[in-house]
Amino acid sequence: MTMKKNQIIYMMCATALLSSCHIYKAYDRPDTIDTSGIYRDPVSETDTLAADTTNMGNLPWREVFRDPKLQVLIEEGLANNVDMQAAVLRVEEAKTLLTSARLSFLPSLNLAPQGSITTIGNSEYAKAYTLPAAASWEVDLFGKLLNASRGQKAVYLQSQYAEQAVRSQLIGGIANAYFTLLMLDRQVEITTETVDIYKENVRAMEAMKEAGMTTEAAVVQMKAVYHQVSASLIELKRQVREVENSLSVLLAKAPQQIDRGTLEEQVIPDEIMAGVPLQLLENRPDVKIAEMTLASAYYTTNKARAAFYPGLNITATAGWTNGSGITVANPAEFMFQALASLAQPIFNNGKLIANLKVSKAEEEIARMNYQQSLLEAGKEVSNALHLYDATNRKLMEDKSQIEQLEKAVAYTKALFQSAQSTYLEILSAQQSLLSAQLTEVSDNVQRMQAVINLYSAVGGGRE
């Protein structure tokens, strides 16, 4: 009978050891995470994008944004932006908590001096004291502390990736605002020139009316167009002021004028490279954040499993005392006490089982969110690639359109001078030319923004 009991005990111990092996296993990226086919080719009908090991996300941001004035603004933003500073502090917080988690493997030591005065009736006072140092150590038999420490390391890494994400977003945000300013500056310049042309047109029309060469209706219509374009110029200048104010706040300073270059001076990479999809796992801060969230959930599940196993605590007390609890003796004598306790959960109202089920569910949710973050990243890369390709083709059409409209303006002026056309045809051609010129400027900046979007989408600016 005794041998049978021993066999049962051995079997239980072996089962506990085998089932606890998973508790000590470190996190590994799941095999179910798939990165294949998450990029779409902007021109291929099969949606298959040829892989390129070169990834522009690995380029330093100064090589992508070469305007010296823009570089100064980015450096200022990285140094002063409130979100950036907060992200740095959160990394320090997580680092401190990680250090605390690692120190939990060591014994704790406390000094707890005590003293008492006792008298009974008219007897003399009995003065007793104890000067003990108490030590306590939780022996990590089944990985409770190990998984807590690993989980805290995942949180620490998560905070580092969050800082990289803020950095990348800040660089992209500053660059976008800067290029928007350059676009508005150029549109203000074009519209100002057009206002001057229309102002001269109004003067010419009034002179022609005095000479009987045109009607009051034509003069009034020309004036209306002049006021319309003048109003659009006011609106453009208002937008310039608002973008300057937004960029100033992004740099953590009061709204003010922004020193900047011109749109014509900008140089962007001739070719943009997305790299292989697998690089998103290593470069994208938000994808890494999602992975660390999964790792943290994995270790939380391991902690929930470890809660089913025994916990071993060792405590010891050493010091001097002159009281034994019954009598008081002087001088004090050295005392030492050691205690080991083993606690095995048996019944906890289903809390341990419920906690494990919840942890497993949260881990599965984190895994799905991780996969979803990859799909979102692939979408952003695909959109940026297509936007860049589309704006390149649109700019070619814009240039051709402007060339034809410039000819149209010249032809209608020549026809008007030979009395074969009306001034309204000149006005229509000039309006079409203005619209095409403004559109070209907008498309040019949109191509720059496509570069920014792709640079951010493949994890650029994180360092």
Side-chain angles (χ1 to χ4, degrees):
M1 186 68 177
T2 302
M3 183 176 294
K4 189 175 182 180
K5 285 183 179 180
N6 290 337
Q7 290 176 348
I8 293 175
I9 293 174
Y10 292 149
M11 289 177 63
M12 291 177 62
C13 292
T15 302
L17 288 172
L18 289 173
S19 61
S20 66
C21 288
H22 190 275
I23 293 174
Y24 301 103
K25 185 181 178 182
Y27 164 81
D28 285 325
R29 182 176 295 159
D31 296 333
T32 55
I33 299 300
D34 185 18
T35 63
S36 61
I38 60 174
Y39 295 166
R40 293 186 64 181
D41 192 290
V43 293
S44 172
E45 294 182 357
T46 62
D47 280 350
T48 302
L49 181 66
D52 189 345
T53 55
T54 304
N55 184 333
M56 70 178 300
N58 294 327
L59 295 175
W61 61 264
R62 289 179 180 83
E63 293 185 17
V64 179
F65 308 116
R66 303 175 186 175
D67 186 326
K69 294 181 179 180
L70 173 57
Q71 290 181 350
V72 170
L73 294 175
I74 291 176
E75 289 172 353
E76 187 176 354
L78 292 175
N80 300 328
N81 180 264
V82 173
D83 291 335
M84 190 69 213
Q85 291 179 339
V88 172
L89 290 175
R90 290 191 183 98
V91 172
E92 293 300 319
E93 290 177 358
K95 184 177 181 180
T96 301
L97 292 174
L98 175 59
T99 302
S100 176
R102 288 173 172 171
L103 290 175
S104 64
F105 288 95
L106 302 177
S108 62
L109 183 64
N110 297 286
L111 186 62
Q114 297 179 355
S116 66
I117 299 177
T118 306
T119 182
I120 300 176
N122 294 326
S123 63
E124 295 182 357
Y125 288 98
K127 299 176 182 180
Y129 63 90
T130 303
L131 297 175
S136 176
W137 182 33
E138 181 179 356
V139 182
D140 193 29
L141 290 177
F142 294 98
K144 295 178 183 178
L145 299 180
L146 176 64
N147 284 290
S149 177
R150 287 174 172 175
Q152 192 57 52
K153 183 177 181 180
V155 173
Y156 171 60
L157 293 175
Q158 191 177 36
S159 69
Q160 287 185 317
Y161 297 134
E163 180 191 358
Q164 293 177 2
V166 172
R167 180 185 176 88
S168 179
Q169 291 168 4
L170 180 60
I171 291 173
I174 293 174
N176 264 315
Y178 184 81
F179 290 139
T180 300
L181 274 177
L182 300 188
M183 176 192 71
L184 291 171
D185 286 344
R186 181 61 182 140
Q187 290 181 337
V188 165
E189 183 181 348
I190 293 172
T191 306
T192 300
E193 293 173 356
T194 305
V195 167
D196 293 338
I197 293 173
Y198 283 171
K199 185 177 181 180
E200 179 60 24
N201 289 346
V202 170
R203 188 199 64 77
M205 290 289 287
E206 288 177 337
M208 292 172 63
K209 174 179 171 284
E210 293 295 330
M213 297 174 62
T214 190
T215 63
E216 178 66 23
V219 174
V220 170
Q221 186 169 1
M222 178 58 70
K223 287 182 177 179
V225 174
Y226 166 73
H227 291 304
Q228 178 187 10
V229 178
S230 297
S232 68
L233 179 59
I234 295 173
E235 173 64 18
L236 285 172
K237 290 181 177 179
R238 181 193 66 80
Q239 292 179 22
V240 168
R241 180 64 63 92
E242 288 189 356
V243 175
E244 282 185 325
N245 293 344
S246 298
L247 183 51
S248 297
V249 172
L250 200 59
L251 303 177
K253 60 185 181 181
Q256 56 192 266
Q257 185 177 359
I258 300 297
D259 183 30
R260 53 190 181 271
T262 63
L263 192 60
E264 292 76 12
E265 297 172 343
Q266 302 309 305
V267 178
I268 61 174
D270 295 329
E271 296 182 2
I272 56 177
M273 302 78 68
V276 297
L278 187 62
Q279 290 173 326
L280 284 184
L281 295 174
E282 307 302 333
N283 292 350
R284 281 274 299 222
D286 59 333
V287 173
K288 296 296 290 182
I289 289 172
E291 183 173 17
M292 288 304 99
T293 300
L294 173 59
S296 180
Y298 170 84
Y299 291 125
T300 299
T301 301
N302 278 357
K303 285 169 59 181
R305 289 191 177 100
F308 287 87
Y309 299 103
L312 176 62
N313 284 278
I314 298 175
T315 60
T317 303
W320 283 264
T321 181
N322 71 336
S324 64
I326 301 175
T327 61
V328 175
N330 285 297
E333 295 182 358
F334 179 78
M335 58 168 289
F336 174 78
Q337 181 182 37
L339 175 66
S341 63
L342 186 68
Q344 168 63 57
I346 297 177
F347 178 71
N348 287 277
N349 301 321
K351 292 180 181 179
L352 297 181
I353 296 176
N355 189 39
L356 180 58
K357 288 182 178 179
V358 170
S359 299
K360 286 182 177 180
E362 291 296 326
E363 183 181 352
E364 179 61 19
I365 292 172
R367 188 198 63 78
M368 292 187 295
N369 288 339
Y370 181 29
Q371 180 68 62
Q372 186 64 27
S373 69
L374 274 172
L375 296 177
E376 293 290 334
K379 179 196 73 174
E380 291 180 13
V381 172
S382 300
N383 289 348
L385 288 170
H386 191 271
L387 178 61
Y388 184 79
D389 178 72
T391 50
N392 271 333
R393 289 186 280 117
K394 283 176 64 179
L395 280 170
M396 295 176 62
E397 299 297 333
D398 291 342
K399 293 182 185 300
S400 297
Q401 182 186 23
I402 290 174
E403 289 176 1
Q404 298 303 315
L405 288 173
E406 287 174 342
K407 293 179 182 179
V409 171
Y411 291 156
T412 53
K413 285 182 177 180
L415 290 171
F416 177 77
Q417 291 173 356
S418 61
Q420 299 182 39
S421 177
T422 65
Y423 212 88
L424 293 179
E425 291 178 350
I426 297 177
L427 177 62
S428 176
Q430 288 176 334
Q431 286 179 305
S432 298
L433 178 59
L434 171 62
S435 177
Q437 289 173 327
L438 296 178
T439 299
E440 182 194 29
V441 173
S442 177
D443 289 342
N444 194 11
V445 171
Q446 195 171 39
R447 182 180 64 165
M448 295 178 182
Q449 290 174 335
V451 174
I452 298 172
N453 293 346
L454 181 63
Y455 185 60
S456 298
V458 295
R462 63 191 182 276
E463 296 179 357

